[in-house]
Amino acid sequence: MQSMYSFLALPGWLSGNAIVIAAVAAVALIAVIVGAVRGFTRIGWGALFWGLACGLFWVLDSRLHDSNPLLKLGAVSRLEEGVRDFIASMSWALVAILASLVVYGLFSLIFRSRRKAALRGVRAGDDEDIEDEDIDEDEEEEGGSGIGIVNRIFGALVALVNAVLVCAGIVCLLLVVFDLTPLRDGALQSLYSSALVEKFWTSIHTYTLDFLLIAVIAAIGYSGYHSGIIGGFRSVLLAAGYIAAIIVAFWLPFSAIAAEKEWLSFVGQLSDAIGGLIARALPENVAAVLGKVSCGIILCVGLCIAVALIGLLLKLIERAVRRTAALRVVDGILSTVVLLVLGVLVCALIVAILYIFDYFGVFPTADLFEDASPLAKGLFDVFDKYLVPLFERIKGIFG
C-alpha cells in the first residue's frame, strides 16, 4: 500500500493525486463497461493472450534456457555464446507464442463457433456458402442466443485485464525511453525514485523491449492463421502481379528482348500493325512510338486479366479449403508458421535499426535494455558478430 501511495504521490504530476486516480479509474470503468456490453465471446482477447505468451516465455527462458534442446545441435554448439543464447531464447519465445495461439484457437472454437454458426444461419438461411470470415465480429447477437450474465461478467473481467496489460505495456515503454532523456533527472525524477518503480525497474528495463518484440511476432502470426497461407499468398500475388503486369506490358514493346525472342515476336508485329494504322494520320516516327504505347496498353489489359483470373482461382481454392475443417486447420497452421518466421525477421529488422543508431553514435539504443535482456540483447550479440565486419568494410571504403 505504501508503494502505491509513493507511486501516486508525485510532486509536479499535473495537479495532484486526484487526476492520476481519476484517469486510472476512468480507463478501468470504460473497459469494464465495454466488456460487460459485448460479453466474453465478443470482446477482444489479444492483450490477454499476449500477456500469456510473455509470462510463458519468461518461465521457459528463465528456467530452461540452458537445457534448450537446440543448444545440443552441432551447428548451434559451434556458434559464439551470445548467438547461442539468442537462438535458445528466441526458440522459447516462439514456443510460448505458438502455445498462446493454440489456446486462443481453442477458446475461439469453444466460445465463438456457436455464435458464428447462429449468425451464419440467420444471415443466409443456413446457406453453407457463407463463410466464417464473412461474419463480422462486431455484429449484434442474432438467432436468439443473447448474452448471458456470466458472459457479461467474464467479458468485463477480460476487458479489465486487457486494459491493465496494455496500459502497463505503454507505461513501461515510456519509462524505458524517458530513462535516456533529460526528463529522467528532471521533471520525472520523482517518478523514477518512487518505491514502486525502483522495485520493478530491473524487470521493466530487462523485458519491456523483449515483450514488445513478442507482441509483434504474435500479431503477425495471428494474422497468418486468420487469413490462411492461400489467402495471404493471394493478397501478395495480386498486389505484386498487377504492378508487374503494368511494368512488363509497357516495357516489352520498347525492349530488345521482344525482337530477339521468337515467342515474343507477336509484340513487335502488333506494335508495327498499330503503328502502320496511326502512320496514315501522323508522321512515321511518332506513329512508331504510339504504336508501341498502344501495344503496351493492350498487353497491360491482357496481363491484368490473367492476374485477376489467377486471383479468382486462388480465391475458389481458398473457399474450398475453408469449407473443410481439416484443410482449414492445416492451412492456418502452415500460414502461422510462415508468418511467425516473417515476424522474427521484422523484429530483427527493427532491432537492426536500433543497433545501427547505437553503433554509429546517433542514439544510445543499447541503453533501452539490460544485458540480461534475452531477445534484444541477443539480437545485438548476433549483429556484433555478423554486422560489425560489414560496417568496418563500409568505413574503410568511405574512409
Side-chain angles (χ1 to χ4, degrees), residues 218-386:
I220 294 176
Y222 170 76
S223 68
Y225 183 82
H226 185 70
S227 62
I229 195 167
I230 297 176
F233 176 73
R234 175 176 172 272
S235 299
V236 174
L237 177 67
L238 287 178
Y242 284 126
I243 295 174
I246 295 171
I247 294 174
V248 171
F250 286 99
W251 169 74
L252 268 180
F254 294 92
S255 70
I257 295 179
E260 296 172 355
K261 302 294 182 179
E262 184 177 352
W263 62 280
L264 291 175
S265 59
F266 73 93
V267 176
Q269 295 171 0
L270 181 59
S271 298
D272 293 340
I274 297 174
L277 294 175
I278 298 175
R280 297 177 182 177
L282 296 174
E284 185 175 347
N285 57 342
V286 175
V289 174
L290 291 179
K292 293 180 183 295
V293 172
S294 300
C295 178
I297 294 174
I298 295 173
L299 290 176
C300 182
V301 172
L303 290 175
C304 286
I305 291 175
V307 171
L309 290 175
I310 294 174
L312 177 61
L313 177 61
L314 289 175
K315 180 65 176 178
L316 295 175
I317 295 174
E318 181 185 5
R319 286 185 174 179
V321 167
R322 288 193 174 276
R323 287 180 186 142
T324 306
L327 292 178
R328 185 167 64 246
V329 171
V330 172
D331 180 54
I333 291 173
L334 289 176
S335 181
T336 301
V337 172
V338 172
L339 268 293
L340 284 178
V341 174
L342 176 62
V344 174
L345 295 177
V346 170
C347 289
L349 177 61
I350 294 172
V351 179
I353 295 173
L354 297 179
Y355 182 86
I356 291 172
F357 286 165
D358 186 82
Y359 183 82
F360 289 100
V362 178
F363 192 76
T365 55
D367 294 336
L368 289 171
F369 49 85
E370 296 280 353
D371 286 343
S373 176
L375 299 181
K377 179 60 167 61
L379 276 170
F380 265 57
D381 288 340
V382 172
F383 295 147
D384 281 338
K385 170 65 176 176
Y386 299 106

Side-chain angles (χ1 to χ4, degrees), residues 183-256:
L183 292 173
R184 171 64 174 81
D185 298 317
L188 299 180
Q189 182 179 8
S190 56
L191 172 61
Y192 283 94
S193 60
S194 66
L196 187 63
V197 173
E198 286 185 344
K199 180 179 181 180
F200 294 103
W201 176 245
T202 300
S203 297
I204 292 172
H205 202 198
T206 300
Y207 288 103
T208 293
L209 197 56
D210 282 5
F211 289 169
L212 179 62
L213 297 178
I214 288 176
V216 172
I217 298 172
I220 294 176
Y222 170 76
S223 68
Y225 183 82
H226 185 70
S227 62
I229 195 167
I230 297 176
F233 176 73
R234 175 176 172 272
S235 299
V236 174
L237 177 67
L238 287 178
Y242 284 126
I243 295 174
I246 295 171
I247 294 174
V248 171
F250 286 99
W251 169 74
L252 268 180
F254 294 92
S255 70

